[in-house]
Amino acid sequence: SQQGEEDPQALSIQEGENATMNCSYKTSINNLQWYRQNSGRGLVHLILIRSNEREKHSGRLRVTLDTSKKSSSLLITASRAADTASYFCATASSNSGYSTLTFGKGTMLLVSP
Amino acid sequence: DAGITQSPRHKVTETGTPVTLRCHQTENHRYMYWYRQDPGHGLRLIHYSYGVKDTDKGEVSDGYSVSRSKTEDFLLTLESATSSQTSVYFCAISESTGAGYEQYFGPGTRLTVT
């Protein structure tokens, strides 16, 4: 079963606006990661937040993590057309001593010029 | 794509035939993973490897087997392909697991089983 679930499934905004995507999960985690996938390509890692962190920034990206609510959000500020992609959250949990990632179904972001 | 190649990139095969997909890395990372991506399901883990000859099952391992005889190569085999295995397959690698390591993904293999 999927650990992470993104919301919304699709988001359409204009260039310059901010985009916020949310992720909810069900069980305890070691860390939560966000990935980006352009159409027809592999996933690219964006940012990782550990379970003991509440907020993290990377360029125009801001990620928050609320372990009490089992949720995370990804904020992209001042969006650009090039940000058009699918965004996935992935939760890391230990299985037999090895941590594997469980991905959500993703949010499709469309940024119009 | 972080020194990860997948072959073939596209394949069309018939139901019942065996298929092997190859993932090759030049990063010398210990951990390798195979995922499938389907509309409405996101990415799901098929198998992973935590070292040469060390592998384990993921969420959707039925109908798939893997082998890793060298650090750089991780093979995914469909012993007898079925139409339900039509999908895009991604290989990923990571330096380690645990609290601080991201995965790097290959470009994907689009497999169609007719």
Side-chain angles (χ1 to χ4, degrees), chain A:
Chain A
S1 61
Q2 297 287 11
Q3 168 74 306
E5 292 290 340
E6 292 90 343
D7 171 61
Q9 290 185 328
L11 180 61
S12 183
I13 60 174
Q14 301 290 121
E15 266 192 328
E17 295 179 340
N18 295 342
T20 299
M21 287 159 268
N22 302 297
C23 172
S24 60
Y25 59 92
K26 297 176 182 176
T27 62
S28 62
I29 60 173
N30 295 328
N31 66 69
L32 186 144
Q33 304 179 26
W34 285 90
Y35 288 78
R36 163 189 168 139
Q37 183 181 35
N38 288 87
S39 180
R41 306 291 296 274
L43 278 72
V44 175
H45 179 263
L46 294 177
I47 196 166
L48 180 153
I49 186 165
R50 293 179 172 78
S51 58
N52 62 351
E53 297 176 314
R54 292 296 167 259
E55 186 171 314
K56 202 162 184 180
H57 296 254
S58 178
R60 293 184 296 112
L61 305 180
R62 181 174 79 103
V63 170
T64 61
L65 179 64
D66 187 335
T67 53
S68 66
K69 295 181 179 179
K70 292 187 170 57
S71 67
S72 173
S73 67
L74 171 67
L75 169 67
I76 304 174
T77 60
S79 62
R80 307 165 181 167
D83 294 327
T84 293
S86 291
Y87 293 81
F88 296 87
C89 71
T91 51
S93 56
S94 294
N95 176 31
S96 301
Y98 300 103
S99 180
T100 59
L101 291 181
T102 303
F103 286 82
K105 299 177 183 179
T107 292
M108 292 182 60
L109 174 65
L110 173 63
V111 183
S112 301

Side-chain angles (χ1 to χ4, degrees), chain B residues 32-54:
Chain B
M32 299 186 75
Y33 312 83
W34 276 108
Y35 294 91
R36 61 178 289 174
Q37 184 175 33
D38 304 288
H41 289 278
L43 273 82
R44 293 179 291 176
L45 181 65
I46 305 171
H47 282 281
Y48 66 100
S49 170
Y50 46 94
V52 174
K53 292 186 169 50
D54 293 322

Side-chain angles (χ1 to χ4, degrees), chain B:
Chain B
D1 290 313
I4 309 168
T5 57
Q6 294 185 230
S7 58
R9 292 294 312 281
H10 302 271
K11 186 170 182 66
V12 180
T13 191
E14 293 183 349
T15 298
T17 59
V19 176
T20 295
L21 308 182
R22 180 182 184 235
C23 177
H24 179 78
Q25 59 143 331
T26 58
E27 305 296 323
N28 201 35
H29 283 356
R30 177 181 174 186
Y31 298 87
M32 299 186 75
Y33 312 83
W34 276 108
Y35 294 91
R36 61 178 289 174
Q37 184 175 33
D38 304 288
H41 289 278
L43 273 82
R44 293 179 291 176
L45 181 65
I46 305 171
H47 282 281
Y48 66 100
S49 170
Y50 46 94
V52 174
K53 292 186 169 50
D54 293 322
T55 65
D56 205 351
K57 297 179 180 180
E59 179 187 355
V60 290
S61 60
D62 287 349
Y64 302 94
S65 62
V66 290
S67 65
R68 191 166 177 204
S69 59
K70 298 185 290 185
T71 298
E72 57 266 36
D73 290 325
F74 193 32
L75 303 181
L76 176 71
T77 297
L78 291 65
E79 300 290 348
S80 178
T82 67
S83 58
S84 65
Q85 293 176 311
T86 292
S87 187
V88 180
Y89 291 85
F90 288 98
C91 173
I93 65 174
S94 66
E95 185 176 355
S96 184
T97 64
Y101 294 94
E102 65 264 37
Q103 294 183 11
Y104 302 93
F105 283 78
T109 293
R110 183 172 296 275
L111 176 68
T112 302
V113 183
T114 60

